[in-house]
Amino acid sequence: MDNRYIVSFDSERLGYGSVVLGNPVKAGIPAGVTVVLGANGSGKTTLGTILEKGRYAYGNRLTFTPDKMKVKMLSFTDIHSLSGMEVQYYEQRLEATMNDMVPTVAEIMGEKVDSEAWRGLTATLGLRDVVDKRINYLSSGELRKLLLVNALIDMPDLLVLDNPYIGLDAASRVEFDDTIRAIERRGVSVVMLLCDGADMPDYTGAVLTMEDCVITSVVTEPDAIASMRKDEGVVTFNADEIPAASFSGGKMADHDVTFEIKSGHVRYGAREILRDVDWCVRHGECWTLTGPNGSGKSLLLSLICADNPQTYANDITLFDRKRGSGESIWEIKDCIGYVSPEMQLYFRSTSPVLEIVVQGMRNSLNKFKAPTDSEKDEARGWLRLLDIQHLEERRFAELSAGEQRLVLVARALIKQPPLLVLDEPLHGLDRYRKQRVKDIIDALVARNGSSLIFVTHYTSEIPSCVTHTKTLVKL
């Protein structure tokens, strides 16, 4: 046991499931706040899982101090285990009549919502007015806060957080950091699994670096940690690398108004989420959509993407055609490339990665036919663009969260449609791939004249092609 660490990794190899991690430096976790930093697919989530429940698995040798240390790991997918049931597909959360069996926050949390700890933690994290909401109506930021509150009420000795900043607006990130500082003062140690050094909080006490499923170093010097937050330079990108599109983007590629909503509104029961929203996106315009957690950004996007039945209660135009004038949902979807955190959360394909990307270029009624050789070659080109060609035979559920996001980005972009709707597409990606995706978006827009709606809470993630901003407020 190394006295510097509350958890020592005593074996040179650590394993869980089918993943084996190398540990030549005989690393460990010191008390306080530790960041595990590595690119997508470097093994961070596996290391977190080993900390939580792999102590005695696969020949691992770990020493915990105290020996019966309580370890809790959180990731965005934990919402399914928290609720005790799964919403089967993304669109279900938008249809009020299909959610009668989905529990509310109060039903899930039980007596916890009446505790002093609940009141204190929800106030600190700014998690307000959620007790009576059904669990699948929470925004991605609200979901993360709820998971954190649930874990902290039970007060573990070590809390492992997988990409905890994803989906949090600027104010929520401050609230989150204040909470972590507070629980550290109470003696709880925290491990954050991060892809980008720029996300490391200024109170980080140690960094474990990982590369290709190997723990490469343990860094504790403040100056060395600070240097890891700095930009690593420009990523070289050649727009000619983008394959030509084999799918034309449907019948609506030639249009003037891509999307327009007048006096837009969305209500679920007594809760009003959107009110008097006016917005027009013309052909070729590039917008960022902003607003705090819970302001209705994802719901507004669901109106655009023909997923929300309340579309028909609104005055909406898509590709120069007023909704409800005879167009089909499938015609609309064929013209839109879409990715979002909610899509990733509910994505259940058992196909290999290559076939999932091929499905992105198909029209909606032919997605699941066997892929042709030419389609496979085009999909491989997109996997190479995003540097995930090594994943083509893997299943979606086997991938890390960042790898899953990249697969869905490839699936959305391969069609090269007249409208790209990208909801937090870069969250959970390492620094290199963030820049790579931004460059690809810029190149697609410039080459094809596509319209873009881009959602992010980080101004540094906005592609350079964006020249317009739409901001929502929380009602």
Side-chain angles (χ1 to χ4, degrees):
M1 171 67 185
D2 190 322
N3 292 329
R4 294 175 297 170
Y5 303 138
I6 58 172
V7 183
S8 290
F9 305 131
D10 301 325
S11 49
E12 292 187 2
R13 289 163 62 87
L14 303 165
Y16 199 88
S18 61
V19 182
V20 176
L21 308 179
N23 179 36
V25 298
K26 293 293 184 71
I29 306 295
V33 177
T34 300
V35 167
V36 179
L37 184 64
N40 298 125
S42 59
K44 301 182 300 299
T45 300
T46 297
L47 184 62
T49 305
I50 290 169
L51 284 169
E52 182 185 39
K53 52 189 177 184
R55 178 175 182 175
Y56 301 112
Y58 307 94
N60 297 332
R61 297 197 307 275
L62 285 74
T63 303
F64 287 73
T65 304
D67 183 60
K68 295 184 178 181
M69 178 183 294
K70 184 178 180 181
V71 182
K72 175 66 178 177
M73 180 177 172
L74 291 181
S75 65
F76 190 33
T77 55
D78 288 335
I79 193 62
H80 291 315
S81 60
L82 177 64
S83 66
M85 65 176 296
E86 292 196 7
V87 175
Q88 295 300 315
Y89 52 94
Y90 164 66
E91 290 86 351
Q92 180 182 340
R93 68 194 291 270
L94 304 172
E95 174 55 75
T97 61
M98 299 178 67
N99 288 289
D100 292 343
M101 299 303 293
V102 177
T104 65
V105 171
E107 290 169 339
I108 292 171
M109 302 300 294
E111 295 179 355
K112 291 179 181 179
V113 299
D114 297 319
S115 69
E116 188 64 34
W118 168 271
R119 287 190 287 271
L121 288 166
T122 53
T124 300
L125 284 171
L127 188 63
R128 303 176 182 90
D129 303 323
V130 298
V131 171
D132 296 323
K133 285 186 184 180
R134 297 196 184 278
I135 193 72
N136 60 325
Y137 286 163
L138 300 183
S139 70
S140 58
E142 289 171 328
L143 286 173
R144 289 189 171 277
K145 292 178 183 180
L146 178 62
L147 289 167
L148 185 59
V149 169
N150 186 55
L152 291 179
I153 284 178
D154 295 331
M155 198 51 66
D157 301 300
L158 178 63
L159 182 63
V160 182
L161 303 172
D162 196 352
N163 276 313
Y165 293 101
I166 293 177
L168 298 183
D169 58 35
S172 296
R173 293 196 296 271
V174 172
E175 293 166 344
F176 170 81
D177 285 333
D178 288 343
T179 301
I180 298 302
R181 290 188 183 96
I183 66 171
E184 182 188 10
R185 289 193 294 269
R186 294 170 62 180
V188 177
S189 292
V190 177
V191 173
M192 297 187 194
L193 312 179
L194 300 177
C195 298
D196 190 341
D199 292 335
M200 291 197 302
D202 58 12
Y203 50 84
T204 301
V207 179
L208 270 68
T209 59
M210 297 193 68
E211 185 175 347
D212 296 328
C213 292
V214 175
I215 304 172
T216 54
S217 68
V218 181
V219 180
T220 57
E221 291 296 322
D223 289 345
I225 292 174
S227 69
M228 294 179 179
R229 298 190 182 96
K230 297 177 181 178
D231 195 349
E232 296 173 344
V234 177
V235 178
T236 302
F237 175 75
N238 182 357
D240 293 336
E241 297 176 54
I242 299 177
S246 62
F247 182 73
S248 64
K251 303 176 181 178
M252 304 179 190
D254 186 17
H255 63 275
D256 177 33
V257 174
T258 303
F259 166 74
E260 185 173 19
I261 186 170
K262 298 177 180 178
S263 300
H265 55 279
V266 172
R267 177 188 293 274
Y268 287 98
R271 182 167 178 258
E272 190 175 27
I273 303 169
L274 296 175
R275 179 199 305 150
D276 295 331
V277 176
D278 294 297
W279 188 20
C280 181
V281 176
R282 296 191 174 278
H283 189 188
E285 290 183 344
C286 298
W287 289 74
T288 182
L289 175 63
T290 67
N293 294 135
S295 60
K297 298 184 297 297
S298 294
L299 276 178
L300 180 54
L301 297 183
S302 72
L303 298 176
I304 298 172
C305 297
D307 290 325
N308 196 318
Q310 295 197 42
T311 296
Y312 297 103
N314 281 274
D315 184 354
I316 291 176
T317 298
L318 279 167
F319 306 109
D320 286 343
R321 296 181 66 176
K322 184 175 176 60
R323 282 305 315 272
S325 61
E327 80 293 345
S328 74
I329 290 176
W330 311 119
E331 285 179 303
I332 294 169
K333 287 183 175 294
D334 286 345
C335 297
I336 299 175
Y338 177 52
V339 66
S340 73
E342 289 81 10
M343 175 185 288
Q344 181 174 341
L345 180 62
Y346 299 115
F347 197 77
R348 289 292 179 270
S349 176
T350 58
S351 301
V353 162
L354 188 66
E355 292 185 18
I356 290 172
V357 177
V358 166
Q359 290 165 10
M361 74 176 77
R362 300 281 189 79
N363 67 46
S364 298
L365 300 179
N366 293 296
K367 280 189 181 299
F368 301 107
K369 289 184 178 180
T372 65
D373 289 341
S374 62
E375 288 174 332
K376 288 180 180 179
D377 288 342
E378 187 171 346
R380 287 189 180 102
W382 279 91
L383 295 179
R384 286 192 297 272
L385 271 180
L386 297 172
D387 198 18
I388 53 173
Q389 62 272 18
H390 57 288
L391 302 178
E392 72 167 64
E393 296 182 0
R394 298 271 299 278
R395 306 288 173 175
F396 192 79
E398 300 170 353
L399 307 180
S400 72
E403 290 170 335
Q404 289 179 347
R405 186 68 57 95
L406 286 164
V407 170
L408 293 180
V409 167
R411 186 173 182 262
L413 298 184
I414 191 171
K415 184 163 42 180
Q416 303 187 42
L419 174 60
L420 291 169
V421 179
L422 306 179
D423 187 355
E424 300 180 339
L426 308 185
H427 285 195
L429 302 188
D430 57 58
R431 191 175 294 174
Y432 163 75
R433 287 185 174 88
K434 282 181 180 178
Q435 187 60 52
R436 187 78 169 174
V437 173
K438 285 170 60 178
D439 288 343
I440 292 170
I441 293 169
D442 284 333
L444 279 179
V445 167
R447 188 173 79 181
N448 300 342
S450 305
S451 305
L452 171 68
I453 297 174
F454 191 93
V455 180
T456 182
H457 292 299
Y458 294 80
T459 56
S460 62
E461 292 184 353
I462 299 173
S464 59
C465 62
V466 171
T467 55
H468 301 75
T469 300
K470 176 66 176 178
T471 302
L472 300 181
V473 296
K474 186 174 182 178
L475 300 181

